[in-house]
Each structure stands twice: as structure tokens, then as C-alpha cells.
Amino acid sequence: MKFKNKVHFLVDLQAYLQRFQWDMAKFPIKQSLKAIADQISKQMSQIEADLKTKSTSYNNIKGNLQNLERKATGSLMTRNLGDIVRKEDFVLDSEYLQTLLVVVPKLYQDDWKKKYEQLTEMVAPRSSKLLFEDGDHTLYNVTLFKRVIDEFKYKCRENKFTVRDFVYNEEELQAGKNEILKLSTDKKKQFGPLVRWLKVNFSESFTAWVHVKALRVFVESVLRYGLPVNFQAVLMQPHKKSSRKLHEILSAMYAHLDNAGAVSKQDMDIPGFQHLHADYYPYVFYKLDVAMG
């Protein structure tokens, strides 16, 4: 067994295993083995269903928030422009004019300044100014007549300029900011209760799992050695390099209990037999892997 319990759970894994006693209150031994197994299975199924619901809800909020934050900090080619531009950068409420936002590679800034007024007719002279720049691109605005917008976009593509689809709307921009704030708040609200729920239900799941192991030891021992029940269960924690040696010693000590545990070299040479026999010993053995690293 390995113990790397870096996270604080409501149960100390190593101490629980070392002091394990059957929980009579949770799993009364007056019940049949099938009833106990069904009870544990039902409990685990409910925890699994609740985990899926809670984790899906939290991950959806987290994912949506990450998408919005990514759009707010990425390249000018993809990021949300609402946090960059201001109302005065646009001609608003005009029947004929519209302001566009154009992403220009830094290498082509001089081309933009020379060409934008001549890309099409009806471009407002001196209407373009630099609004923002990142590592590779710059953002310019430009005002023109609505009737030539499609042609202007086509000419921009020819010259490696990218017109971003953006309409300045204060209500929508504020709604976007409110959405980020709401998602951030919801994420914080769900995180604490989710962690507490995980701690409680990890502990519940772990104790149930150990009880299942105990059930398996009991059933396997009865099947191997028969009734009346006369066996002793022991918890052992060997050093990693000593596990093989421990099995060899125990197999020699208890070989008389089960002849199937002692296999001749001739048997091991039978195709497929070695694989089937790999984890079989003359004593009942179950590995408890509780590594949390």
C-alpha cells in the first residue's frame, strides 16, 4: 500500500485501514451478504450520480467563464473588442454612415494609412485612427457609407486587412461584462460547497470500498477453507522492494492450506496458465492501492 495523502479528507486513510472495524451501525451483520453488497452498491451509485450532476454544473460555469476570459485577452483577430473601444470611436445613429473596426498586421500599417481612403469610394477622409495594438496586430477604425461596406470588406481581404464584425451597443457590452461577473460569482459560490461535498463523499466512498474488500476476504476464505469460519485477516504494508519476498515467505508458510497455490514448473509451461495463475496464492490476498499522489 502507498500513502500519499496530500489532500485533507474527513478520514485519515492509513489510520482508518490500520484500525478498521466493521461498521455495525451502517452495515448490520444480521443482513445477508447480498443485502449488504446491494446497500453499498446503491450508496455508490447515488454518490456517482450526484458527482456527475455537481461536476457538470461546475465545469459548465468554469468553461463558459474561461471562454469569455479568453476572448477578452487573446489576439485582436479573435478577442472581444468591447473592452478596447469607446463610444467616441464610432459614428452612431447615422442613416448613411457606419464605423468599422479593422485589424491590420503591424507590418502593413503604412499600407493601411496610404490605402484605406482609396480602397473604395465614399470612405470618410481622415476617419481612421489607431485604437489598440498587441504583439502582431493593430486595431483601426474607419467610417464610410453603408452602401459600400461589402465592397470595402472585399478590398480589405485583398490587402491582408481584416474587418471585425462588431456593432457598438452599450447595453450589450454591459451585459457581457455582467455575464463575466455573474459567472465568476457563481463559480466561487459552487467551488466551496463542491469541495466540502467531495471530502465528505470521498470519505464515504473510501469506507464503503474497504468494507467491500472485507466482504471479499470473508467470502473467498469461506469458499476456500469451508465452514465453520476459522481464519484471521491481517493488514500488511511491506516496503515496495519487499513485496515479492513477502509473497514467497507466506506461500512457503501456507502452502499446505491450498494445493492449487503450489504450481510446478511443468504447469507454468502450459500456454496461458501462467497468466491465469499470476495473482493466485495459497492464502487469500487482496491488494489495497490507496496512493493519492
Side-chain angles (χ1 to χ4, degrees), residues 20-37:
F20 174 76
Q21 289 185 331
W22 188 267
D23 191 332
M24 297 291 188
K26 274 189 179 179
F27 311 112
I29 59 175
K30 292 182 179 179
Q31 298 183 97
S32 66
L33 293 179
K34 183 178 184 306
I36 295 174

Side-chain angles (χ1 to χ4, degrees), residues 190-207:
Q190 288 201 18
F191 182 75
L194 177 60
V195 170
R196 288 192 293 273
W197 184 90
L198 286 170
K199 287 182 178 181
V200 170
N201 285 277
F202 174 85
S203 300
E204 290 290 324
S205 301
F206 181 78
T207 55

Side-chain angles (χ1 to χ4, degrees), residues 34-96:
K34 183 178 184 306
I36 295 174
D38 288 345
Q39 179 184 344
I40 295 175
S41 176
K42 184 178 179 181
Q43 179 188 6
M44 292 301 97
S45 296
Q46 185 60 54
I47 289 176
E48 182 181 14
D50 290 345
L51 175 61
K52 286 181 179 179
T53 300
K54 293 177 183 293
S55 61
T56 298
S57 176
Y58 178 78
N59 287 330
N60 284 341
I61 292 173
K62 182 181 178 182
N64 291 336
L65 180 59
Q66 287 176 337
N67 287 335
L68 291 177
E69 290 175 340
R70 194 179 300 116
K71 289 179 180 178
T73 57
S75 164
L76 282 171
M77 297 293 290
T78 57
R79 69 174 291 175
N80 187 346
L81 302 177
D83 293 332
I84 297 174
V85 299
R86 300 172 298 171
K87 185 176 182 179
E88 49 266 33
D89 296 328
F90 297 83
V91 173
L92 301 173
D93 304 321
S94 171
E95 184 178 353
Y96 301 105

Side-chain angles (χ1 to χ4, degrees), residues 89-192:
D89 296 328
F90 297 83
V91 173
L92 301 173
D93 304 321
S94 171
E95 184 178 353
Y96 301 105
L97 296 174
Q98 182 172 331
T99 299
L100 300 179
L101 298 179
V102 184
V103 177
V104 179
K106 284 189 171 180
L107 295 175
Y108 296 99
Q109 281 191 88
D110 290 340
D111 287 350
W112 169 258
K113 294 173 184 177
K114 293 174 184 177
K115 294 180 179 180
Y116 81 89
E117 292 182 8
Q118 287 81 39
L119 289 176
T120 65
E121 298 179 346
M122 301 184 180
V123 176
R126 301 179 184 177
S127 63
S128 180
K129 66 176 181 178
L130 177 64
L131 303 180
F132 189 82
E133 59 183 298
D134 61 18
D136 299 313
H137 300 90
T138 57
L139 182 70
Y140 285 86
N141 64 349
V142 61
T143 300
L144 62 160
F145 278 76
K146 294 179 179 179
R147 58 186 294 185
V148 298
I149 285 178
D150 289 341
E151 182 185 357
F152 185 84
K153 288 182 177 180
Y154 176 77
K155 293 293 184 180
C156 281
R157 286 195 296 271
E158 286 187 338
N159 287 273
K160 303 186 186 322
F161 309 141
T162 303
V163 179
R164 290 289 307 272
D165 290 328
F166 182 87
V167 177
Y168 187 87
N169 184 307
E170 285 188 296
E171 292 183 358
E172 290 183 2
L173 292 178
Q174 187 59 46
K177 294 177 182 178
N178 291 341
E179 180 66 12
I180 291 179
L181 180 60
K182 179 180 181 299
L183 288 172
S184 180
T185 302
D186 289 347
K187 180 186 172 186
K188 290 178 182 177
K189 284 182 178 178
Q190 288 201 18
F191 182 75

